[in-house]
């Protein structure tokens, strides 16, 4: 048996019961970052497929803004994928499982990523039908000595965009947010029957050890949207 997880929660073989598994599947079909749309191939929760731009497969690692959107979807996540009898199935939330499968398609490895960016805290955000997680970036050595932590937020409600002044471009740099273009992208996805998962971040000092809803009111940075479809 093979398991993958987007959070710190682990599943042992003894704890796995058939009643926990479900045949219902979802898949991330499109990603929107910095005004650009990327298509995703694959079948259900199978973590194999490609990400395409302009009909050509791309390496997400070459686009820092896209990569961080995928990392956020993987880490701001409490669900798991299980490969049992050659069938990939979800334990937990169907949309979260779809984001884990997408991260695998980009070459991200959940256990390695969780070790390099360990989770310190997590809270549910009922207002946005989502959650937030706090991670320690110290092991990655990507941040300066004063800002070692990051908050990742996922929301299915576009009202969260009102708290964002900035967004990440494809190079991973902060630029002024283009709200009209983002809202149009959300409308386009919904017209195609996709659920929209909005991914946001906030860089915070390393004194942060716990999350509070007040932390999510300002200085938020829009990263991207993952458009999720049910598998027929």
């Amino acid at each position: 048996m093979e398991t993958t997880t987007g959070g710190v929660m682990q599943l042992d073989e003894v704890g796995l019961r058939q009643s926990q598994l479900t045949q219902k599947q979802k898949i991330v079909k499109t990603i929107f970052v910095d005004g650009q749309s990327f298509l995703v191939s694959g079948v259900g929760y199978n973590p194999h497929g490609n990400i395409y731009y302009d009909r050509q497969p791309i390496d997400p690692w070459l686009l820092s803004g896209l990569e961080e959107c995928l990392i956020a979807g993987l880490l701001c996540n409490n669900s798991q994928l299980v490969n049992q009898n050659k069938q990939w199935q979800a334990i937990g939330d169907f949309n979260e499982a779809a984001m884990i499968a997408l991260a695998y398609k980009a070459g991200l490895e959940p256990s390695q990523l969780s070790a390099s960016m360990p989770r310190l805290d997590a809270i549910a955000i009922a207002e946005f039908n989502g959650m937030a997680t706090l991670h320690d970036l110290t092991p990655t050595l990507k941040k300066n000595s004063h800002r070692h932590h990051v908050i990742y937020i996922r929301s299915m409600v576009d009202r969260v965009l009102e708290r964002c002044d900035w967004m990440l471009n494809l190079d991973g740099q902060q630029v002024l947010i283009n709200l009209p273009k983002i809202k149009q992208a959300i409308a386009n996805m919904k017209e195609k029957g996709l659920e929209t998962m909005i991914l946001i971040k906030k860089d915070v000092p390393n004194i942060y050890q716990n999350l509070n809803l007040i932390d999510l009111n300002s200085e938020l940075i829009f990263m991207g949207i993952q458009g999720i479809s049910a598998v027929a």
Side-chain angles (χ1 to χ4, degrees):
M1 182 186 64
E2 195 174 347
T3 64
T4 70
T5 175
V8 296
M9 182 172 57
Q10 298 294 330
L11 182 72
D12 60 31
E13 207 163 336
V14 175
L16 177 63
R17 296 188 296 272
Q18 187 64 35
S19 61
Q20 292 176 289
L21 303 179
T22 175
Q23 294 299 319
K24 183 175 181 180
Q25 297 203 358
K26 290 191 175 183
I27 184 172
V28 176
K29 299 291 290 183
T30 186
I31 312 160
F32 176 86
V33 176
D34 190 19
Q36 305 299 318
S37 294
F38 302 84
L39 300 181
V40 184
S41 67
V43 179
Y45 291 137
N46 191 312
H48 301 289
N50 291 299
I51 298 173
Y52 294 84
Y53 178 71
D54 197 22
R55 300 185 179 182
Q56 298 296 319
I58 64 165
D59 183 353
W61 288 86
L62 300 178
L63 301 171
S64 297
L66 174 59
E67 178 193 1
E68 187 151 10
C69 179
L70 303 183
I71 289 174
L74 176 62
L75 293 182
C76 194
N77 196 311
N78 282 329
S79 297
Q80 299 173 324
L81 292 181
V82 178
N83 187 356
Q84 188 178 52
N85 300 324
K86 299 182 179 181
Q87 294 291 324
W88 286 94
Q89 302 184 63
I91 295 180
D93 181 85
F94 304 131
N95 289 330
E96 288 183 355
M99 292 191 290
I100 297 172
L102 172 64
Y104 260 84
K105 294 171 186 177
L108 298 172
E109 215 300 315
S111 60
Q112 293 178 4
L113 200 59
S114 295
S116 64
M117 301 175 63
R119 179 189 291 192
L120 302 176
D121 196 15
I123 57 173
I125 313 174
E127 179 185 2
F128 296 135
N129 191 13
M131 68 179 294
T133 55
L134 174 66
H135 298 270
D136 183 1
L137 287 183
T138 305
T140 69
L141 301 178
K142 288 183 178 179
K143 298 293 180 181
N144 64 46
S145 59
H146 301 292
R147 302 181 73 84
H148 279 311
H149 292 174
V150 64
I151 299 172
Y152 286 135
I153 304 163
R154 60 176 174 81
S155 171
M156 298 187 74
V157 179
D158 62 8
R159 204 165 55 247
V160 70
L161 295 170
E162 298 168 3
R163 304 182 184 184
C164 300
D165 294 318
W166 305 91
M167 69 180 194
L168 289 188
N169 64 18
L170 286 175
D171 293 326
Q173 303 299 313
Q174 288 182 217
V175 296
L176 286 175
I177 193 168
N178 187 335
L179 270 178
K181 197 161 189 175
I182 295 170
K183 291 189 174 183
Q184 185 59 56
I186 292 173
N188 292 343
M189 289 186 191
K190 290 183 176 180
E191 284 180 5
K192 296 175 182 177
L194 301 179
E195 295 181 81
T196 55
M197 194 68 71
I198 301 168
L199 283 309
I200 288 168
K201 68 176 287 190
K202 179 176 180 176
D203 294 315
V204 294
N206 55 15
I207 59 171
Y208 278 68
Q209 297 295 323
N210 302 100
L211 284 171
N212 191 298
L213 289 177
I214 196 171
D215 299 325
L216 313 179
N217 287 335
S218 62
E219 298 183 37
L220 304 187
I221 304 165
F222 170 79
M223 290 186 291
I225 308 163
Q226 297 185 20
I228 301 172
S229 172
V231 177

